[in-house]
Amino acid sequence: MQVKVMTNIYHISYTPETKEISLFFWGCNFNCLGCLCKKETHNFLLSEHLHLPFEEPTVIADSPEQFISFEDLIKTLDKLEIKKVLLEGQEASLDPLYPQITQALHKRYSSYNTLCSNIYSLPSLKDTDEIAIGLKAVTDSIHKEYTGKSNRQVLANFISLNQAGLKSSVASVFIPGFIDIAETENIAEFIAQVNKDIPYHILPYFKSGFNPWRHPTHEEMEAAEKTARKHLGKVHSWKGDEEMKYEVVKIF
Ligand code: SF4
């Protein structure tokens, strides 16, 4: 009997209109206080989860128990038309099969592969087209408090990735009273020192885990964007109540 090689993928969603697949990997080298996986491990954009971001957390979500094998992943994806793939969830970069999965995605579907990562450790990026970096903080004491780890390796990897010329963007979470205007400006300044052309997305904190922070207001998000624009040309702040453009469905 052939033994199946298991991936770290526990959930797959698909957006039919854009032919976009999201592969959700389990396992992370950080333990972020506000990690959304503490609230829900599956895609927040599924219709049954759209109400969740604004709900008060009452429990910590269970860890996934079911994972897909590499063979079954390919069988599942072969049934779909695929243009873009997001490798997300927790840290896709930690799956030993990451290089094999991205190579198969390129070979079989010629997809545009985007890795969403905290870039604490990096896999082979030979078949990765873009990296969406989740930068928690540039002030190390804030980074340590929020994630449990120093950001030294993260900042060094950010510089190396830019030197390697891999297309990238950065997102950070705006948390009133914690990672707010001052730290958002620090992040924008750091990105600008490396490359002023990198797009920067500012995301609003949604309550997850048991933290004292609240969801930011529209005005706070606009102020954060305005501050970041002093340093960078491509800045966008999300408010968290944007309309969904396309339906997202669960595949696994
Ligand atoms: S890096 Fe991302 S997945 Fe990992 S704990 Fe932090 S928010 Fe969660």
Side-chain angles (χ1 to χ4, degrees), residues 6 25 60 62 76 79 93 96 116 128 137 141 147-148 153 155 167 185 200 204 207 209-210 224 228 230:
M6 299 308 292
F25 293 74
I60 299 289
D62 290 333
T76 304
K79 293 180 196 145
S93 62
C116 304
T128 300
S141 55
T147 71
Q153 191 57 45
L155 302 186
K167 189 172 178 204
E185 181 157 23
Y200 177 34
K207 284 188 163 194
F210 301 118
K230 290 194 276 179

Side-chain angles (χ1 to χ4, degrees), residues 1-6 69-71:
M1 196 182 74
Q2 206 185 345
V3 179
K4 287 189 170 180
V5 182
M6 299 308 292
S69 68
F70 181 74
E71 188 188 344

Side-chain angles (χ1 to χ4, degrees), residues 29-121:
N29 36 22
F30 286 177
N31 184 14
C32 297
L33 294 172
C35 180
L36 282 176
C37 287
K38 290 184 174 171
K39 193 176 223 176
E40 170 57 53
T41 57
H42 287 193
N43 198 335
F44 275 80
L45 300 177
L46 294 169
S47 58
E48 64 266 36
H49 292 160
L50 288 176
H51 65 286
L52 281 178
F54 293 98
E55 273 192 4
E56 201 66 32
T58 50
V59 291
I60 299 289
D62 290 333
S63 300
E65 288 177 354
Q66 252 200 325
F67 295 86
I68 196 166
S69 68
F70 181 74
E71 188 188 344
D72 290 343
L73 171 69
I74 298 300
K75 274 190 205 155
T76 304
L77 298 185
D78 273 356
K79 293 180 196 145
L80 303 165
E81 193 185 339
I82 298 173
K83 287 189 178 161
K84 293 188 258 179
V85 181
L86 278 180
L87 297 108
E88 57 165 316
Q90 293 198 317
E91 269 301 319
S93 62
L94 297 180
D95 191 331
L97 292 190
Y98 180 86
Q100 194 178 331
I101 292 167
T102 46
Q103 185 185 49
L105 293 170
H106 266 171
K107 278 199 174 157
R108 297 179 85 86
Y109 320 115
S110 303
S111 58
Y112 186 85
N113 302 333
T114 301
L115 168 65
C116 304
S117 176
N118 62 27
I119 67 165
Y120 186 74
S121 70

Side-chain angles (χ1 to χ4, degrees), residues 224-244:
E225 178 176 332
K226 196 173 163 198
T227 302
R229 279 193 185 280
K230 290 194 276 179
H231 307 281
L232 291 165
K234 298 174 190 165
V235 183
H236 181 72
S237 65
W238 298 85
K239 313 297 180 295
D241 53 4
E242 287 80 4
E243 288 245 328
M244 278 277 294

